[in-house]
Amino acid sequence: MLKNNITITRFVLLISATIFILFHYPFFKFVFSNVDYKSLNGVILIISLVILMLVVNAFMLYLIFFLSRAVGKVLLVMFFIINALAVYFVNTYGVIIDETMIGNILNTNYDESSSFFSIKLVLYVLLLGVLPSIYIIKVKIENVPAKKFLKTSSLTLLFIIVLAFANATNWLWIDKNSKRLGGLAMPWSYSVNTPLFYIHKYKKNKKEIILPNATIADNKKSVMVLVIGESARKQNFSLYGYSKNTNPLLSKIPNVFHFDATSSATYTTAGVKSILDHKDTGDLYEILPNYLYRNNVEVIWRTTNWGEPPVHIKDYQKRDDLKSNCAVNCDYDEVLLAGLKEQILASKKNKILIILHTSTSHGPTYSKKYPAQFETFKPVCNSVELGNCSHDELINAYDNTIVYTDYILSKVIEDLKELKEYNSAMMFVSDHGESLGEKNLYMHGVPLSIAPKEQYEIPFIVWISDSSKQLKPENNLTQHHVFHSVLHFLNIKSPVYDEQMNIFKN
């Protein structure tokens, strides 16, 4: 039975043990899967990690509660609620709460975040978050004298240092697996990675680095439609040899080409930035739409998604802006096509870049990302808890999003074919791939250094009109090929242009 009055020492030990029991199953599941736990060194490492986890959490809580019990209680309640949410996503989708995942979370919009809601999530929050918080709020904690505090904290710190050095032979293993270990340790995963995310974001985005001026080399009418896919993985496109016919329309259209490609990241913000960047860099250089708009190209951005770098153009249109001109399937990505051809024809400029940022294959609610008539493969997974669906149901739901993507791309091509005065092209590149239960991983966001191929092998599909330029026999493209290929197609001369990164023939 828990006491209403408890000393600070016993309290922090109790809370540390509770955090360990409730939230560290994923951490030690990973450890047991990657350590020879039958060997003496493996046993020592596991025991050391257990002790270290308990002692470090207790030590930090001891410091906080000695300084302020009120602040300590507020922080602990936050930790338990956030821990519950974090462990739900770790257990359900196999995610790792590292810096990149923190970026995903902080940049997620309401529509996307609400798609994760489930009864299981509520139970996690209530049982693992709210119930312990009630005890934390009600319990009376008795402080200790300063002398005892200094003695206890000094001995504890010394013990942590000794334990760390006693495991010096395991430092290499810990360093090798630091991303996963750090992303599964609660509450350290998010409490450390959140400030790191903001620090790095501030450093990267202090000021957009302007590229050198470009010039338009001719007056020929040219239009490029760049479609940025969401969570589309290459292996589920029949164009790439997938056994199910997920590309029934594109496969029949002349002048459609596909290339093997990889993404630069496994999450949207970094993936989209790479598609729009002129080279692989962590700096915020002027991105493709901003650069071309500043250099007198007509640039139109239409989006049902989020997560792009700052876009500085006149015609930036979101879903709600497009709905007024939409007649069919306006709650899906088809809204991006509403009045598209008419907007191109209304332009007074000869060079036009259209960017369509889709959201079609984003999970976990794959079955809600396409109209009913595109449910080609059945039965489908309708649960946000993807592990509760059979593998076939999950794959069917995802494959239907690819069928819908195929339709949208074919409609873009149909519109472009009608623009007889223009040299036209369409380029489809995904921001990243998607895991669908392989290795017990779902969706995306695993650090690229340890990500499975499903999360970074992406489709790179190109269509060109008969009068347009031909394509090089390229393969193994990157997302950075987009910037230079668009410049070449529109005949934009720039000091940053790299012919090696262009997919079109001269």
Side-chain angles (χ1 to χ4, degrees), residues 252-263:
K252 297 175 183 177
I253 299 175
N255 297 332
V256 170
F257 304 87
H258 60 277
F259 303 91
D260 291 333
T262 55
S263 64

Side-chain angles (χ1 to χ4, degrees), residues 258-273:
H258 60 277
F259 303 91
D260 291 333
T262 55
S263 64
S264 300
T266 62
Y267 57 103
T268 298
T269 50
V272 174
K273 182 177 181 295

Side-chain angles (χ1 to χ4, degrees), residues 474-489:
E474 295 279 1
N475 216 335
N476 298 318
L477 303 182
T478 70
Q479 291 170 322
H480 297 292
H481 279 79
V482 170
F483 186 100
H484 304 278
S485 300
V486 171
L487 258 61
H488 183 93
F489 184 83

Side-chain angles (χ1 to χ4, degrees), residues 10-75:
R10 290 183 177 178
F11 176 76
V12 298
L13 288 172
L14 172 65
I15 293 299
S16 180
T18 304
I19 290 173
F20 179 85
I21 293 168
L22 295 182
F23 304 116
H24 283 97
Y25 170 74
F27 180 94
F28 283 98
K29 180 183 178 183
F30 173 77
V31 172
F32 272 86
S33 299
N34 291 273
V35 167
D36 181 9
Y37 54 85
K38 295 181 180 179
S39 68
L40 178 61
N41 184 63
V43 171
I44 292 172
L45 175 61
I46 292 168
I47 293 173
S48 297
L49 286 173
V50 170
I51 295 171
L52 196 63
M53 195 71 71
L54 289 167
V55 173
V56 169
N57 281 341
F59 176 66
M60 293 305 300
L61 292 174
Y62 191 61
L63 295 180
I64 294 169
F65 273 84
F66 178 79
L67 295 172
S68 173
R69 279 162 286 179
V71 172
K73 284 190 173 189
V74 171
L75 287 175

Side-chain angles (χ1 to χ4, degrees), residues 4 11 15 65 69-70 72-78 80-81 129-141:
N4 287 331
F11 176 76
I15 293 299
F65 273 84
R69 279 162 286 179
K73 284 190 173 189
V74 171
L75 287 175
L76 259 188
V77 169
M78 288 175 57
F80 270 87
I81 298 295
V130 174
L131 286 182
S133 297
I134 293 172
Y135 170 72
I136 292 166
I137 293 168
K138 288 187 173 182
V139 71
K140 293 180 180 179
I141 304 166

Side-chain angles (χ1 to χ4, degrees), residues 221 298 300 339-349 352 419 422:
K221 288 193 171 187
E298 181 84 38
I300 299 165
L340 179 62
K341 183 178 65 175
E342 290 74 17
Q343 191 169 11
I344 294 171
L345 291 172
S347 174
K348 297 179 180 178
K349 295 185 178 181
I352 304 173
L419 304 175
Y422 287 84

Side-chain angles (χ1 to χ4, degrees), residues 383-400:
S383 173
V384 300
E385 296 168 24
L386 303 180
N388 291 343
C389 296
S390 72
H391 183 67
D392 286 345
E393 289 173 338
L394 178 56
I395 295 296
N396 285 343
Y398 181 82
D399 285 345
N400 289 334

Side-chain angles (χ1 to χ4, degrees), residues 432-449:
H432 51 75
E434 190 86 334
S435 284
L436 298 172
E438 301 88 3
K439 300 178 182 176
N440 204 33
L441 293 174
Y442 296 92
M443 298 181 60
H444 52 268
V446 173
L448 190 63
S449 59

